Amino acid sequence: MSSNNEATLGFEDFKQEVLSDYKLACISREASLLGRKEVLTGKAKFGIFGDGKELAQLALAKNFKPGDFRSGYYRDQTWMMAIGALSVQAYFSGLYAHTDVAVEPQSAGRQMGGHFATRNLDEHGQWKNLTQQKNSSADISPTAGQMPRLLGLALASKVYRNNPALHTEEFQQFSIQGNEVAFGSIGDASTSEGPFWETLNAAGVLQVPMVMSVWDDGYGISVPRELQTTKNSISEALAGFQRTAENPGFEILTTKGWDYAHLCQTYEKAVNLARTEHVPVLVHVQEVNQPQGHSTSGSHERYKSTERMEWEKTHDCIAKFKEWILAFDKGPTALATIEELDQLSEQAKEEVKESKNKAWALFTEDIKQDSLSLEGILSGLIQEGTLSSSFQAELDALIKNREPQRKDVFSLARRALRSLRGAESTNKTVLSQWLSKKKEESHDRYSSYLYSESNKQIGNIPSIEPTYDTDAPMEDGRIILRENYRKLLEKYPNLLVFGEDAGKIGGVNQSLEGLQETFGDLRVFDTGIRECTIIGQGIGMAMRGLRPIAEIQYLDYLLYAIQILSDDLATVQYRTKGGQKAPLIISTRGHRLEGVWHSGSPMGMIINSLRGMHVCVPRNMTKAAGFYNTLMEADEPALVIEPLNGYRTKEKMPTNLGEFKLPLGQVEPLSEGSDLTLVSYGSTLNLCIQALPVLEELGISVELLDVQTLLPFDLSHDIVKSLQKTNRLLIVDEDVSAGATAYILEKILVEQGGYYHLDEAPQTLSAKDHRPAYGSDGDYFSKPSIDDIVEKVYEMMSKANPGAFPTL
Ligand SMILES: Cc1ncc(C[n+]2csc(CCOP(=O)(O)OP(=O)(O)O)c2C)c(N)n1
């Protein structure tokens, strides 16, 4: 132990540090104990606490510097408190779900207690100086879900250290030459999850400054470690990862959760190594316990033996810490007497109680204000006789309620307004206006920041059309993409492109051909086959001011990453109420190639799981390039699905590569027509284009619309304008039935009111419900073909006018 070694610090400072650690351990423990009570007495809904993990986190926090990042989980309250990123009051405000970001800065009440985050953006959504604060990326609940992002947070330091182009003023707010460490934490049982292994392997390969702690308390809820981990020990299971003189890998350290001195020594060693040499380190903290059990959902007596329960008591880390302090030295260098320690623990209890009470008062005050303003309005209505006096009792109960919920206030107001149907009164108008205003506030409280609300949101990026020379050459789609990437890599020094086969060979479709040679393997690089952590790598780097474009080789393999996209990336802005962002762009390609696992188009699944991201489905590579160019100017995460059959298709080469920017959420009409509106996107859109002349020959006039992006969808409601002319609608895609077509139908018929303009039932044409079969015939019989499109349109016309279009 040297950071708090009396020789290094001087005895008095050393003593103060130890005693302040002791007090903070007591504060954190008391917060856990009171937190549980708050849940059990009904003041908060659910509780999961960090009791038993205090000492290890205090030791870790000593080495956590400004600029560093945490990616952890719900047990880390002591760590957050120790780095000054969480007050006890804010901790309780989180538990109560206080929706004011000034009071509950972690998630403004959106995440359950114990889910931590720092505010890394200012109120305008712009980056703060992250090197001057201690950072925590926002937690998520799925076990091991914090791991993929951790990889990117750590890799960012390596990128910043090794790329001199980033040692400029512009990037100083993100990194001081890569000196920052990314700290991860996980419970022993969650190491069973795939993302843990994928992340550790990648970190070992990449040699990034990561300090990964496993808090090993022997259980995952009730399931013991021997049913979770090979050899019943994560450090033993990972022994092959240990670096040697010849072979880089991990430094693996073990320590015990109750041994203060050894914990301090271990973390000092671990973090120095990671910071100076960029070596990943695993710290296996053994013999940790859980004094209150897993969470408020149940008691641990159900699955822990009496011996285990007894052991947990004798090995409680705070009790052990106390023993250590008392035994330190009995002479003039004694640290504290038992009375002094008890006094600290009493002070801790008092302080926590006070903070908890303040948090509760603020939480209830906020809702009380709403109750009182409603009381004013409803009393007026009751007095004038417009509102039944039976509402008085409910109103009284609301005002008296010492544990009010906002929904009770709303529900009463809405029931009152419903009961006033048909009545005329100024007070009724006041009530109605009050409710509208409160609904707006509720939108801000519970539904804002699904997407960026900064000046860099996609809607604010001015669009620029591609320009062409009169004799513009025709080039393969992949060349257009490649040359556009070249311009982007020149323009944005913080842009990185990576993925499987993306580096040396420039992508399986050659759209990055030669770019690694030009820009180096720090900017354009290969990764292992690990889709989930390719995304995590991107999320973490994007959270640290880099602009990653993560390549997923084929759309079919996005499924390996869909969990982390959905749970982590798509929720970053929302779950922090605009406190963090990760403007990661994901580039993939799909819809149509060969067979069961190279032709998927699971667009319904994607758009339904990725609200909070944008999803672009360009029909060609000029369109794709235009979307990348827009997204690079914006600060939002997005997925761009290039059409697989477009790499070798000729397109006109624009002159303003890297500059033209296409708007998202705008439909492009490709033909004018009066009989039927045909809506499609991506690869099937190109089939629709080919079907047009055939339909024309059959005497059918079709208006073909390319939706171009599914999220957002037709923001100016252009499709309904087309329906006003044609009164007929057919949607074509190659997802399964009721996949993306169901979403598109809802948008057009319900949101845009398109049903009103239809003369007959809207139709969809999608792929078969099975995965597509192999070969050209497999494709023809599994997916919509040009023949299918022509015949479907004809069938609709024939139904409407059998005379002109006799049955085929
Ligand atoms: C993907 C996923 N599966 C299951 C759960 C439910 N769950 C929450 S915590 C937990 C146990 C975690 O145990 P461990 O990793 O040892 O951490 P501890 O809670 O003991 O600190 C489980 C199964 C979850 N949150 N996410």
Side-chain angles (χ1 to χ4, degrees):
M1 180 164 122
S2 71
S3 73
N4 53 4
N5 182 317
E6 53 177 311
T8 322
L9 280 178
F11 179 71
E12 264 316 303
D13 288 345
F14 164 67
K15 178 175 155 182
Q16 286 318 315
E17 186 175 320
V18 172
L19 295 187
S20 127
D21 280 351
Y22 182 77
K23 185 169 175 194
L24 187 51
C26 293
I27 287 178
S28 178
R29 176 65 60 89
E30 189 61 18
S32 301
L33 299 175
L34 278 193
R36 185 174 171 88
K37 280 196 193 135
E38 293 303 273
V39 177
L40 299 183
T41 54
K43 282 157 85 180
K45 227 174 166 189
F46 175 77
I48 192 151
F49 307 105
D51 46 314
K53 282 61 183 184
E54 294 91 348
L55 225 49
Q57 295 179 22
L58 286 164
L60 179 157
K62 289 180 197 305
N63 301 280
F64 195 99
K65 295 203 168 141
D68 288 348
F69 259 88
R70 166 186 170 276
S71 187
Y73 79 116
Y74 49 79
R75 302 285 182 210
D76 296 343
Q77 68 199 46
T78 316
W79 173 357
M80 290 295 289
M81 289 173 187
I83 61 171
L86 176 69
S87 70
V88 176
Q89 189 181 312
Y91 178 75
F92 279 97
S93 296
L95 193 67
Y96 301 137
H98 197 137
T99 53
D100 183 347
V101 85
V103 176
E104 203 286 77
Q106 307 162 85
S107 77
R110 291 176 177 192
Q111 290 228 67
M112 57 170 60
H115 287 60
F116 309 110
T118 47
R119 299 205 74 76
N120 297 356
L121 305 178
D122 66 18
E123 64 276 27
H124 306 295
Q126 310 299 324
W127 294 108
K128 291 184 181 171
N129 187 328
L130 302 184
T131 64
Q132 288 177 4
Q133 62 176 39
K134 297 179 178 178
N135 303 289
S136 170
S137 59
D139 294 357
I140 61 176
S141 294
T143 47
Q146 68 274 35
M147 295 299 302
R149 167 185 358 119
L150 174 65
L151 180 67
L153 293 171
L155 183 59
S157 288
K158 189 165 170 168
V159 171
Y160 279 119
R161 181 169 287 181
N162 296 339
N163 185 355
L166 301 176
H167 298 169
T168 59
E169 216 183 315
E170 191 188 349
F171 298 105
Q172 267 172 18
Q173 59 182 324
F174 299 113
S175 175
I176 313 247
Q177 307 211 354
N179 289 338
E180 305 77 23
V181 172
F183 291 76
S185 69
I186 196 166
D188 53 294
S190 301
T191 64
S192 308
E193 294 277 17
F196 174 81
W197 292 91
E198 202 177 302
T199 303
L200 254 66
N201 177 53
V205 170
L206 292 168
Q207 289 294 290
V208 289
M210 172 191 289
V211 173
M212 181 67 222
S213 298
V214 181
W215 313 139
D216 185 350
D217 59 19
Y219 293 85
I221 309 186
S222 67
V223 181
R225 195 177 46 223
E226 59 263 33
L227 296 182
Q228 305 273 5
T229 311
T230 301
K231 298 190 174 179
N232 199 8
S233 161
I234 194 63
S235 48
E236 280 193 41
L238 281 166
F241 280 52
Q242 173 64 48
R243 67 187 181 135
T244 61
E246 301 76 42
N247 254 327
F250 264 77
E251 183 65 21
I252 298 179
L253 304 173
T254 57
T255 181
K256 293 188 172 33
W258 47 264
D259 188 344
Y260 180 69
H262 194 257
L263 281 164
C264 290
Q265 284 163 3
T266 305
Y267 274 104
E268 184 171 319
K269 181 175 168 192
V271 180
N272 276 343
L273 184 61
R275 201 180 299 283
T276 51
E277 294 180 37
H278 278 189
V279 168
V281 184
L282 177 90
V283 183
H284 181 189
V285 185
Q286 299 165 320
E287 301 194 16
V288 175
N289 62 25
Q290 223 178 53
Q292 299 193 107
H294 175 77
S295 71
T296 49
S297 300
S299 76
H300 52 158
E301 285 83 2
R302 287 175 302 162
Y303 51 83
K304 285 182 188 164
S305 65
T306 342
E307 295 76 45
R308 170 77 195 187
M309 296 293 281
E310 199 43 46
W311 179 88
E312 292 208 359
K313 273 197 201 118
T314 54
H315 287 76
D316 183 296
C317 65
I318 299 183
K320 282 277 190 192
F321 191 19
K322 191 171 177 181
E323 282 170 21
W324 180 85
I325 296 174
L326 293 173
F328 186 77
D329 193 339
K330 307 273 188 243
T333 54
L335 288 171
T337 61
I338 193 156
E339 290 75 22
E340 284 165 339
L341 291 186
D342 288 346
Q343 202 184 351
L344 284 179
S345 121
E346 278 313 306
Q347 278 172 9
K349 281 187 187 161
E350 275 310 305
E351 285 173 28
V352 172
K353 200 164 123 193
E354 208 176 297
S355 301
K356 179 210 75 162
N357 289 343
K358 270 193 199 150
W360 179 250
L362 283 173
F363 174 70
T364 47
E365 187 52 35
D366 206 24
I367 299 176
K368 271 252 143 66
Q369 290 305 326
D370 278 355
S371 306
L372 290 175
S373 65
L374 179 65
E375 185 193 27
I377 303 168
L378 294 196
S379 299
L381 280 158
I382 293 170
Q383 270 161 29
E384 73 185 22
T386 326
L387 185 66
S388 157
S389 57
S390 64
F391 276 91
Q392 188 62 53
E394 291 197 58
L395 198 51
D396 293 345
L398 185 73
I399 299 297
K400 274 199 212 120
N401 190 349
R402 289 156 58 96
E403 290 163 17
Q405 293 285 319
R406 206 175 297 278
K407 72 185 177 67
D408 299 333
V409 188
F410 266 68
S411 183
L412 182 58
R414 292 168 77 176
R415 276 181 288 128
L417 194 60
R418 288 203 298 270
S419 84
L420 293 173
R421 64 193 177 280
E424 291 290 331
S425 151
T426 318
N427 278 330
K428 179 188 164 187
T429 315
V430 173
L431 174 61
S432 164
Q433 285 166 349
W434 181 89
L435 205 44
S436 306
K437 183 163 163 277
K438 292 293 157 192
K439 277 184 184 166
E440 258 172 49
E441 286 173 15
S442 300
H443 175 84
D444 174 63
R445 278 198 179 94
Y446 300 105
S447 303
S448 58
Y449 285 98
L450 179 57
Y451 292 92
S452 169
E453 297 191 10
S454 82
N455 61 0
K456 290 188 151 201
Q457 58 182 269
I458 49 137
N460 286 345
I461 310 303
S463 48
I464 300 174
E465 285 296 309
T467 51
Y468 298 96
D469 283 336
T470 37
D471 54 350
M474 296 298 282
E475 294 282 2
D476 283 354
R478 74 172 186 98
I479 304 287
I480 290 176
L481 277 178
R482 186 190 68 191
E483 293 312 304
N484 194 70
Y485 267 122
R486 191 186 303 284
K487 292 286 181 198
L488 292 179
L489 284 157
E490 283 164 3
K491 189 170 167 184
Y492 302 98
N494 56 346
L495 168 61
L496 311 146
V497 190
F498 53 87
E500 296 155 20
D501 304 293
K504 197 173 167 94
I505 65 163
V508 282
N509 293 288
Q510 298 282 277
S511 51
L512 297 161
E513 183 196 23
L515 297 182
Q516 189 180 66
E517 276 163 43
T518 310
F519 295 95
D521 59 8
L522 266 177
R523 309 275 316 273
V524 182
F525 53 97
D526 287 319
T527 66
I529 307 175
R530 46 178 181 78
E531 288 75 13
C532 165
T533 50
I534 288 174
I535 297 303
Q537 187 168 315
I539 297 172
M541 290 202 288
M543 283 182 161
R544 292 191 59 193
L546 296 170
R547 288 309 311 260
I549 299 187
E551 276 273 326
I552 295 295
Q553 201 157 67
Y554 294 112
L555 182 55
D556 303 70
Y557 309 129
L558 195 76
L559 265 76
Y560 271 62
I562 201 83
Q563 179 268 328
I564 211 67
L565 286 169
S566 181
D567 287 333
D568 195 352
L569 183 60
T571 66
V572 171
Q573 284 259 331
Y574 177 78
R575 74 182 193 264
T576 58
K577 203 184 179 194
Q580 297 189 2
K581 60 182 170 184
L584 166 64
I585 301 171
I586 294 131
S587 167
T588 188
R589 51 210 56 80
H591 303 314
R592 220 166 183 118
L593 187 66
E594 286 300 348
V596 175
W597 287 284
H598 292 83
S599 311
S601 187
M603 298 312 302
M605 178 190 75
I606 289 170
I607 55 181
N608 287 329
S609 55
L610 300 187
R611 305 295 163 97
M613 287 179 59
H614 299 298
V615 176
C616 306
V617 280
R619 69 174 184 276
N620 61 38
M621 300 313 176
T622 308
K623 295 276 173 192
F627 290 137
Y628 290 125
N629 298 344
T630 302
L631 292 165
M632 282 302 296
E633 286 291 295
D635 67 353
E636 309 205 48
L639 170 68
V640 180
I641 302 169
E642 297 164 2
L644 249 174
N645 48 16
Y647 294 97
R648 313 268 159 194
T649 307
K650 299 283 183 208
E651 295 178 33
K652 245 191 330 176
M653 181 67 124
T655 48
N656 55 347
L657 289 165
E659 296 300 330
F660 66 94
K661 296 179 190 70
L662 298 184
L664 274 67
Q666 268 192 31
V667 164
E668 187 182 13
L670 295 175
S671 70
E672 254 194 66
S674 53
D675 289 331
L676 182 141
T677 299
L678 185 55
V679 173
S680 191
Y681 60 88
S683 290
T684 49
L685 192 282
N686 292 317
L687 298 185
C688 291
I689 293 177
Q690 292 174 58
L692 282 180
V694 187
L695 289 164
E696 200 180 329
E697 235 171 68
L698 289 168
I700 304 171
S701 163
V702 166
E703 185 135 307
L704 176 59
L705 304 179
D706 182 359
V707 300
Q708 304 198 92
T709 62
L710 290 168
L711 294 174
F713 186 87
D714 187 13
L715 295 172
S716 42
H717 290 192
D718 285 336
I719 299 177
V720 78
K721 289 173 202 147
S722 171
L723 291 186
Q724 284 165 15
K725 274 195 294 181
T726 66
N727 313 115
R728 271 182 212 96
L729 173 64
L730 172 62
I731 302 165
V732 180
D733 83 349
E734 54 185 291
D735 193 3
V736 293
S737 58
T741 51
Y743 163 84
I744 295 173
L745 263 182
E746 198 268 353
K747 288 279 169 194
I748 301 172
L749 298 190
V750 181
E751 195 176 299
Q752 301 189 9
Y755 75 96
Y756 187 76
H757 304 286
L758 291 182
D759 282 348
E760 54 204 286
Q763 297 291 327
T764 58
L765 177 62
S766 40
K768 293 284 191 299
D769 282 347
H770 53 75
R771 302 284 183 105
Y774 173 57
S776 301
D777 285 348
D779 177 89
Y780 184 85
F781 290 104
S782 304
K783 299 252 185 171
S785 64
I786 299 172
D787 293 330
D788 292 331
I789 296 167
V790 169
E791 285 169 18
K792 187 79 185 176
V793 172
Y794 187 90
E795 184 189 305
M796 287 175 75
M797 295 310 297
S798 165
K799 236 188 210 155
N801 187 353
F805 303 100
T807 321
L808 293 176

